[in-house]
């Protein structure tokens, strides 16, 4: 759980960093370049498979853990401890993870499918743009198009909020699971964890919002 | 604080034996002194029940001074009741107001089956201790306490961990019914001292294996255990246990 979670966190950093190039406001040139760069490098293609595997392991482990733990109580209490002992999001990691899973399916369908599988069978390939005589997938144009739908924007923002809460618990929990017990390190990690969860999720949430509002073109 | 008397409504879990389904019974009780302990209030109720020819409410208690870990009641949704860092036996009735309804339940966990009413079987904890919560020394004359120098921080952390009384409130509070805070307290207490070092690897592995066998859940660090522990055992002990466990898993000699 902790190792896969940590890997997924490191993926988020790279993903957020690259996507931030949409704000270069150059009609998506820098963004399309970096997406192409990532898509054409063999190391990254291998990492993509590793990433898929880590996602799947994390999800399976998560559900196995959750269902095992849920079965341990037997008869429940009439009155629960609820928020008096723990944060609601710490107790709902499975549910937040499920929201993330639903989000992930929608997200992959939006961008990964046309970009990687476009042209196979009935799947529409992406339009191409020309930079210096070379053709690139215009993933940026696709983003702008998809984020014109307000419902999609709302679903993405909900996904980002789930991510923020999942990470507010997950970030610190990972390090505790891995055995960090020095109080000074831990208090630092907890602060970094909250900041990371909020900043990363806010950066992601701003992408569909700024495209919908026409801040980037 | 000023003394006052109160009338209360109690909803208490009654269950004849481990096979009985059990249910809540409601009792009205009058003229309870704010200076009584919670257990004394139950004693008063039990005397009344006995005088009426009814079965007294079974509950665990022994020292009644917060050091044995026997008392175990889930009061208004919180193990050991509303006061922070306080066992039920040390909880006083001034924590409640006149006319209040108080709900009392046993610890709920499959690893702590109910024996009768509010008494649960916590022998799973004993078996976890038997799996490694000790040091092996030959008895004889007591050794001079200062013969082995011990770092003050380690001594303090070990002492804090050693204050765990094995009450099981951590399990009762945890959404996963995990016993990790208890286990972490026992492992940390010994692993931090030179006397505990020789057996530390086998201890961590065997105690965790026994905990899993007993049917406790896994820790996901929600923090509920630490919030209710009457001895304020720190959750960072669980991180230390994890480190001990990984270290032992990677390096233990074949037995
Ligand atoms: C896609 C669907 C996902 C599901 C179903 C899921 C489910 C879970 C579950 C059930 C847990 C364990 C609960 C707990 O420790 O309290 C967990 C922990 C965690 N998750 Fe996820 N998750 C998902 C996605 C993600 C993503 C996208 C990330 C990060 C980018 C992530 C990072 C973490 C971290 C860091 C932990 C904590 C690990 C630990 O406690 O040792 N998860 N997840
Ligand atoms: S860790 Fe605290 S709550 Fe758990 S058994 Fe020990 S004293 Fe009780
Ligand atoms: S009766 Fe001993 S701790 Fe409460």
């Amino acid at each position: 759980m902790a190792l896969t979670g940590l890997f997924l966190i490191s993926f988020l950093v790279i993903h957020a960093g690259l996507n931030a190039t949409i704000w270069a406001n150059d009609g998506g040139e820098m963004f399309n370049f970096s997406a192409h760069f990532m898509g054409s490098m063999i190391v990254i293609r291998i990492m993509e498979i590793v990433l898929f595997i880590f996602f799947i392991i994390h999800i399976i482990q998560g559900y196995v853990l959750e269902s095992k733990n849920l079965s341990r109580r037997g008869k429940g209490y009439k009155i629960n401890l609820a928020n008096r002992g723990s944060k609601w999001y710490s107790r709902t990691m499975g549910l937040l993870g499920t929201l993330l899973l639903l989000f992930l399916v929608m997200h992959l369908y939006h961008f990964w499918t046309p970009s990687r599988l476009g042209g196979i069978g009935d799947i529409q390939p992406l339009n191409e743009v020309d930079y210096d005589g070379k053709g690139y997938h215009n993933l940026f144009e696709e983003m702008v198009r998809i984020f014109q739908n307000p419902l999609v924007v709302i679903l993405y923002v909900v996904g980002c909020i789930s991510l923020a809460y999942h990470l507010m618990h997950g970030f610190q929990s990972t390090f505790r699971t891995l055995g960090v017990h020095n109080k000074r390190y831990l208090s630092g990690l907890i602060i970094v964890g909250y900041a990371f969860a909020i900043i990363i999720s806010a950066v992601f949430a701003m992408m569909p919002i700024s495209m919908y509002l026409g801040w980037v073109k | 604080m000023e003394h006052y008397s109160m009338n209360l409504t109690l909803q208490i879990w009654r269950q004849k034996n481990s096979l009985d389904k059990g249910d809540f019974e409601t009792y009205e009780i009058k003229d309870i002194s704010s200076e009584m302990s919670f257990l004394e209030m139950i004693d008063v109720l039990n005397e009344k029940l006995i005088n009426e020819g009814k079965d007294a409410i079974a509950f665990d208690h022994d020292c009644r001074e917060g050091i044995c870990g026997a008392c175990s009641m889930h009061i208004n949704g919180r193990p050991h009741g509303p006061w922070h860092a306080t066992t039920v036996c040390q909880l006083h009735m001034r924590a409640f107001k006149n006319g209040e309804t108080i709900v009392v339940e046993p610890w709920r966990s499959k690893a702590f089956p109910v024996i009768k009413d509010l008494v649960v079987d916590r022998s799973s904890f004993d078996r976890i201790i038997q799996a490694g919560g000790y040091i092996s020394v030959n008895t004889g004359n007591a050794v001079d306490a200062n013969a082995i120098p011990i770092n003050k921080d380690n001594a303090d952390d070990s002492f804090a961990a050693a204050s765990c009384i094995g009450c099981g409130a951590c399990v009762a509070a945890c959404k996963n019914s995990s016993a990790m805070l208890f286990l972490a307290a026992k492992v940390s207490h010994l692993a931090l001292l030179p006397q505990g070092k020789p057996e530390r690897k086998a201890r961590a592995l065997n105690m965790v294996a026994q905990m899993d066998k007993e049917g406790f859940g896994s820790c996901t660090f929600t923090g509920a255990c630490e919030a209710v522990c009457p001895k304020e055992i720190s959750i960072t002990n669980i991180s230390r246990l994890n480190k001990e466990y990984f270290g032992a898993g990677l390096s233990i000699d074949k037995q």
Side-chain angles (χ1 to χ4, degrees), chain B residues 80 125 163-171 181-182 185 225 228-233:
Chain B
H80 292 299
F125 268 17
S163 64
C164 165
I165 53 177
C167 64
C170 42
V171 176
L181 193 65
F182 164 73
C225 52
V228 303
C229 173
K231 297 295 149 185
E232 300 183 288
I233 301 294

Side-chain angles (χ1 to χ4, degrees), chain B residues 4-9 29-32 93-101:
Chain B
Y4 61 97
S5 292
M6 65 192 102
N7 301 333
L8 298 164
T9 306
I29 185 161
K30 292 198 169 29
D31 292 328
I32 291 299
M93 292 313 292
R94 57 180 178 270
F96 302 93
K97 294 191 294 287
N98 185 24
E100 214 173 311
T101 298

